[in-house]
């Protein structure tokens, strides 16, 4: 199975900060990678698909980049509602594995 | 409105069985990828089963031979049949689907499965 390593596992930031989360895969997956946001007690919400395409209704402060084995999720200006846990997921091969998550805290 | 609604979770003894259901509305389950994703308490996400457009299925090694994903096109419903349940299967189970993108862009609210004596 393809392993996904996210870093950092947690971070502290302030409103207005620029935040970057990375996801590294154990083998090349072209751009078949998605990013999700999850808040406590809620289902994940799709933010980014195909590594850099913005999901429907997702604010433009979220962006994704990368291909092959190295990917990045960037939040350009952190808002109060962005404090959550973020996961990457690959769709190159089943099992469609997730990264371990990055918790963004105040 | 595009929506997924899960049901069927609950408390079951080790070795027992349970069937989860996921009713879809606003799209047709047979035309897309659908999946069950679980999250153990305080842990990350695990994609356990997928059913593809053509009806073929895949299961993670952790559930292979014990869980079966299926769908009923007439009722537009996804199922997860779970047998020989173990304590480590305790989790919130979400159904998820590709609808507008090549990723899980629609999720249900989740249903809790607790395996304990």
């Amino acid at each position: 199975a393809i392993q996904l390593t996210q870093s950092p596992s947690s971070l502290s930031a302030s409103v207005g900060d620029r935040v970057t989360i990375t996801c590294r895969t154990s083998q090349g997956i072209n751009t078949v990678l998605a990013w999700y946001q999850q808040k406590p007690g809620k289902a994940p919400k799709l933010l980014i698909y195909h590594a850099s395409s913005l999901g429907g209704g997702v604010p433009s402060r979220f962006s994704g980049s990368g291909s092959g084995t190295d990917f990045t999720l960037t939040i350009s200006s952190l808002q109060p509602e962005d404090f959550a846990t973020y996961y990457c997921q690959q769709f190159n091969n089943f099992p469609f594995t997730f990264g371990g998550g990055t918790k963004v805290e105040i | 409105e595009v929506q997924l609604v899960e049901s069927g979770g609950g408390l079951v003894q080790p070795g027992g069985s349970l069937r989860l259901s996921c009713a879809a509305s606003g799209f047709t389950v047979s035309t897309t990828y659908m999946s069950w994703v679980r999250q153990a308490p305080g842990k990350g996400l695990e994609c356990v089963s997928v059913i593809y457009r053509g009806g073929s299925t895949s299961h993670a090694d952790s559930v292979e031979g014990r869980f079966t994903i299926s769908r009923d096109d007439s009722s537009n419903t996804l199922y997860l049949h779970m047998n020989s349940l173990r304590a480590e299967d305790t989790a919130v189970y979400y159904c998820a689907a590709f609808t507008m993108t090549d990723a899980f862009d629609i999720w249900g609210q989740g249903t809790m499965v607790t395996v304990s004596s």
Side-chain angles (χ1 to χ4, degrees):
Chain A
I2 298 174
Q3 308 300 317
L4 276 67
T5 304
Q6 279 184 242
S7 60
S9 55
S10 66
L11 66 90
S12 296
S14 300
V15 172
D17 284 354
R18 182 181 182 88
V19 169
T20 299
I21 299 168
T22 64
C23 179
R24 176 164 289 177
T25 61
S26 60
Q27 65 186 71
I29 62 168
N30 198 357
T31 58
V32 284
L33 184 112
W35 290 94
Y36 301 89
Q37 177 193 68
Q38 186 180 33
K39 296 181 178 179
K42 300 295 187 182
K45 174 188 173 184
L46 178 68
L47 298 175
I48 301 287
Y49 65 99
H50 284 174
S52 60
S53 298
L54 202 62
V58 176
S60 59
R61 62 181 180 272
F62 291 94
S63 64
S65 65
S67 67
T69 60
D70 293 293
F71 301 87
T72 300
L73 173 71
T74 299
I75 310 172
S76 61
S77 177
L78 199 65
Q79 297 301 299
E81 60 268 31
D82 300 337
F83 291 96
T85 300
Y86 294 83
Y87 294 93
C88 55
Q89 182 187 24
Q90 65 82 21
F91 288 96
N92 191 67
N93 297 126
F94 190 84
F96 298 144
T97 39
F98 290 87
T102 296
K103 187 173 185 179
V104 177
E105 301 175 296
I106 300 173
Chain B
E1 181 189 7
V2 177
Q3 193 175 10
L4 295 170
V5 178
E6 299 105 333
S7 60
L11 175 63
V12 61
Q13 292 189 337
S17 299
L18 211 56
R19 188 186 76 166
L20 305 183
S21 301
C22 173
S25 55
F27 71 100
T28 304
V29 299
S30 62
T31 64
T32 191
Y33 288 21
M34 295 200 69
S35 177
W36 289 96
V37 176
R38 69 183 180 184
Q39 187 169 37
K43 302 297 184 182
L45 300 166
E46 180 187 15
C47 181
V48 296
S49 300
V50 169
I51 186 165
Y52 303 95
R53 292 182 186 90
S56 61
T57 63
S58 294
H59 299 275
D61 288 346
S62 58
V63 305
E64 184 71 56
R66 301 188 299 122
F67 290 13
T68 303
I69 188 172
S70 66
R71 69 187 185 213
D72 180 353
D73 295 347
S74 65
S75 62
N76 213 35
T77 301
L78 179 74
Y79 297 101
L80 186 66
H81 306 261
M82 303 186 294
N83 297 319
S84 302
L85 283 160
R86 306 166 180 167
E88 55 264 37
D89 297 318
T90 294
V92 175
Y93 285 74
Y94 297 100
C95 62
F98 292 12
T99 61
M100 303 285 286
T101 69
D102 291 338
F104 294 137
D105 51 40
I106 183 76
W107 294 69
Q109 83 284 1
T111 188
M112 183 71 202
V113 172
T114 302
V115 184
S116 175
S117 55

